[in-house]
Amino acid sequence: MVVAAVYFVVAMGAAVMFGRNLDRQLQGPRLRAAWAEGLTAEARCISLRTEEVQSPEGGPVLYTHPTLEFRTGDGRAVSFEERRSRLTPAKGDFVTVHYSAANPEGATTRAPSFGMRHARTVITGVGAVFAAISAVVIAVVA
């Protein structure tokens, strides 16, 4: 029973840490901050930067990162490079961005989604369920 309890505590800690790290890697805090206030603006693509990286198979993969410029509600001009979007506008195109008044440079073109808003909670919850089931099995078998 002690082994199962120790396992449960360690597995829960791992689930929480994995959820937190995945959330940071997916830029969850920045995206949630940009979506929280509900502020949007029309941004114009002012330039495109192409980056070539190597795929896991060894072949080249091209990523295009648009630099977008928009005006905040108080008239301040802000430009930022969108790195984590599937959106690839042409130079001069307009797109909708979501931003927070406190950090407009953290804007994003990504629309709010359930998965990104709750990724940390879902991952941690699935890990908790797995930890609980595993701990029960260990307790019964031991």
Side-chain angles (χ1 to χ4, degrees):
M1 191 63 130
V2 172
V3 172
V6 169
Y7 172 81
F8 179 73
V9 170
V10 170
M12 277 300 300
V16 169
M17 287 177 16
F18 182 72
R20 185 178 300 150
N21 288 337
L22 182 64
D23 188 48
R24 276 194 217 124
Q25 188 176 33
L26 295 173
Q27 298 185 357
R30 179 183 73 85
L31 295 174
R32 282 190 298 277
W35 297 329
E37 296 178 42
L39 299 174
T40 61
E42 288 300 308
R44 186 173 60 88
C45 178
I46 57 174
S47 68
L48 296 167
R49 182 177 65 84
T50 303
E51 175 182 30
E52 184 176 328
V53 296
Q54 190 172 12
S55 72
E57 294 81 27
V61 177
L62 293 176
Y63 290 106
T64 302
H65 306 293
T67 298
L68 303 169
E69 185 176 72
F70 68 97
R71 292 208 176 270
T72 62
D74 59 4
R76 191 170 118 206
V78 176
S79 65
F80 70 100
E81 182 178 83
E82 180 68 279
R83 295 189 51 87
R84 294 274 184 156
S85 178
R86 291 179 181 94
L87 175 73
T88 308
K91 188 174 178 181
D93 283 354
F94 284 88
V95 295
T96 300
V97 295
H98 301 266
Y99 70 98
S100 72
N103 182 22
E105 291 81 10
T108 183
T109 58
R110 294 175 69 177
S113 68
F114 178 84
M116 281 308 303
R117 285 183 183 226
H118 304 289
R120 180 175 39 193
T121 305
V122 170
I123 295 295
T124 303
V126 169
V129 169
F130 178 76
I133 292 171
S134 301
V136 168
V137 169
I138 290 171
V140 169
V141 171

